Amino acid sequence: ASARESAPPPPYLTRRETLGDGDEITKEVPSTFVLPLLDAFNHLSERGGATKLCFDKASNAFTLRAARDMRVGDEATISYGQRPNAYLLLRFGFAVFDSPDEFVELPGCADELEWLMPGSKREADLYAENLHHAVRNARLDRDGKANTNLLWALRVLLASDEEYERVGGVKAFRDAFPTGLDGRDVPGSGAQLAAEASLALACAREMDLAGGSESLAEDETQLEAALAVLREVETECANNPCLSDEPRAYDGAGSSSDLATGMTSTDGTDATRGDEMTCDDVFDRCGTESDDSNYLRRLVSALEFRVGRKRILAKAVARYSPLREAFTRSGDELYAATMEGGDYDEKVG
């Protein structure tokens, strides 16, 4: 009973406010609470099955509610929010590989707003639909896809004046237009091609800042190697008897005598164990007397962040590059399809 009496109030407090005409209204105001021990829980996306923080009015207390069936021994997690790995790595020191909440920002897309003529009808149209926000907050999801509003905004920004009028203004550019061989002579296809090319360019810039597309394979190799070493160290830590609670007959290298036999070798190793790794060696590898394992975990997190980000950018470049047909169709097919009614080099170029 005493615990219930001292429990925190509901997460929304009510207060009465007086309006200008003298009338009073009741408003719910969000409140801030300190929840001890909650920060001890590890992060998992809510879409990945993290528990959800709720307020139980019946008990006047906060609860963690599981989103799935859990067994004894399963780890209970919470979500730190739908955050990209750039935020998680900077704020908390870890990254979630292939996170469903991952996205990559594309600040280069905002450059396209500079093409707007101040006071023009097109500027007014763009702001009326709030499409400028989509450009300033341009991003790619985990699959390397831009949202529909960003592509819509870029089509509006990059359409020629003639095409803009011919298609019918801002609302007519909401849906995508065919491009490439399928978009010949289709009004709006030029704006679609320009929008996708702009996206591909913004992605290429971000990839260059991250080391270039050639560095992706190198990062993947380093990540695989770092994971292999980390697993080896963690396995040694888990299996070595020196780290268990059982009594040990050996105190490690440099001890004056072995408790079981009283024998030591001249080089400080256990004469009865040959070349077997000593407890001191394992402690060093496991981070008990050094931070090697912590360093490995930080290295893995950094590499997972780099690899995940570059994979997203690589997918987007392949998706939106004007040359993607050349990536997915053989030269013979492309030649046969484009020779009809025009010059091959002119069409592909």
Side-chain angles (χ1 to χ4, degrees), residues 240-248:
N240 196 281
C242 296
L243 301 182
S244 67
D245 294 331
E246 299 177 2
R248 299 199 305 266

Side-chain angles (χ1 to χ4, degrees), residues 25 70 72 105 109 146 148 150 156 190 194 265 267:
I25 60 172
M70 301 184 71
V72 174
E105 295 179 339
C109 288
T148 55
L150 175 57
V156 172
S265 64
D267 61 359

